[in-house]
Amino acid sequence: MSETVFDKIAATLPAPGTKRIALRVTPPAERSIRSGHPWVYGTSIEDESHPGAPGDLGVVFDRKGRFLAIGVYDPTSPIKLRVLHQGDAVKIDGAWFNQMLSTAIAKRKVLQDPSLAPTNGYRLVHGESDGFPGMVVDRYADTLVIKLYTPAWIPHLKSIVTGLRKAQPHNRLVLRLNRSMRKDPQFLFGLTDGQFLHGPALTGPVIFSENGLRFEADPISGQKTGFFLDQRENRSRVEQITRGCSVLNVFSYTGGFSVYAARGGATQVTSLDVSAPAMEAAERNWVLNLTNPNVAACEHETLVGDAFELMDDMARMKRKFDVVILDPPMFAQSASQVESALLAYQRLTRMGLDVLAFGGTLVQASCSARVAAESFFAAVEDAANGYKRTLREVRCTGHAVDHPIAFEGAAYLKCIFGKT
Ligand code: SAH
């Protein structure tokens, strides 16, 4: 049955263009492509053979007319070409996508090591860094979610869906479209955000496992594809430091860090987020794990509201926690916002320290790709020092195996653990 659903959808989608666009780019863009950077901005394209449609293949030739790179073209975006391959000339077709999908999925095999607690929620395809610029695929048990950030993938969707079915058998496939794509319905060919590409419709959230804990994800309307899979390893690290502790989890979303903290032996956990639906999910996620005696023994409080206001209130009431986790949304969207983002991170550090007990541990993360890891770590440490609360036994962490980093600028996640 599911086969026919996608067949019907696929019949309405455009086929990939047959005529490749020949492109010439500026010397700095050439160097950037050679260094492995996958984005070619429209402003650095000097010449193109003809106007193309989203998803057409574009070939960049160098100064000497030699093949430099091939990618998917997108006239609707400032990033006009997303590079699929650079170096020797290759043929991009269904077989290429199958091969790339198998390679990406094979990289994640380590997560299935039988000696590890079960994890069936993780990222299968991490965009640019797995050779699929502008596309991610996440797995939640037998549901896969494919999220597109450019209409350039639409003509190739049939190949991708076929390849995914072979490389990672699943029951259901959900399509998510990035907000910027939804503004331009003429390039969506009837596809909608949250649409089922195949498999039975969902009657509620999907339940999956992460390191043996159970969580729900809402692939249709949740943030990202339903869960912040990138924090899995940091959540495990938190579990290691919470025995006998009280824990404040700020920007908790659906309570991932909270449940790990409880399994680690925390006596009390407070989850705080501005999103009321996220907090309701955090409560359900807690209940899903009550079979674990540590979770059952731990007290869980949920607070819906603005993190800055609520942390201020707690500080005034002299409330203290042994572990404070700060995992805010992205603060810097562009290079011009880096300075203000660093100041905002420092403000958060100070606010976190105001509610951190003496000898407690501050865990602070940043997901702003624009903010370099070293700048972030230095800013947090400086803020703490200026506050006469030196961070000791500092650990700085980065990306997990399912969120690989293939080029400079791909690293966005960093997290600092500092004992005071
Ligand atoms: N730590 C989470 C992911 C956090 S994502 C996890 O492990 O799953 C960032 C979260 O910050 C989102 O859930 C968003 O709703 C929340 N948020 C954004 N602005 C906020 C604010 N001013 N106060 C509180 N929460 C906020």
Side-chain angles (χ1 to χ4, degrees), residues 163-178:
L164 271 177
R165 291 177 115 177
K166 269 196 221 127
Q168 178 68 54
H170 53 277
N171 202 4
R172 176 186 295 116
L173 181 62
V174 178
L175 177 72
R176 295 294 303 268
L177 304 173
N178 184 39

Side-chain angles (χ1 to χ4, degrees), residues 223 227-231 235 249-257 272-275 278 305-308 325-330 367:
Q223 297 187 35
F227 200 74
F228 288 83
L229 295 166
D230 52 1
Q231 287 287 25
R235 288 194 269 265
N249 180 11
V250 187
F251 307 100
S252 66
Y253 191 47
T254 56
F257 279 105
L272 186 170
D273 199 283
V274 76
S275 157
D306 175 65
F308 294 90
I325 302 158
L326 306 168
D327 182 22
M330 191 181 5
C367 62

Side-chain angles (χ1 to χ4, degrees), residues 194-223:
Q195 166 173 14
F196 289 89
L197 292 183
H198 65 76
L202 276 168
T203 48
V206 180
I207 310 291
F208 68 97
S209 299
E210 191 187 82
N211 288 320
L213 290 168
R214 294 173 75 220
F215 292 102
E216 65 169 56
D218 177 355
I220 312 290
S221 46
Q223 297 187 35

Side-chain angles (χ1 to χ4, degrees), residues 245-302:
C245 291
S246 57
V247 178
L248 174 62
N249 180 11
V250 187
F251 307 100
S252 66
Y253 191 47
T254 56
F257 279 105
S258 302
V259 177
Y260 275 76
R263 187 169 68 174
T267 51
Q268 187 272 331
V269 176
T270 299
S271 304
L272 186 170
D273 199 283
V274 76
S275 157
M279 208 44 76
E280 285 160 19
E283 281 167 5
R284 290 192 296 272
N285 281 332
W286 194 273
V287 171
L288 275 177
N289 292 285
L290 285 176
T291 45
N292 180 288
N294 284 359
V295 179
C298 181
E299 188 196 318
H300 188 211
E301 171 191 34
T302 51

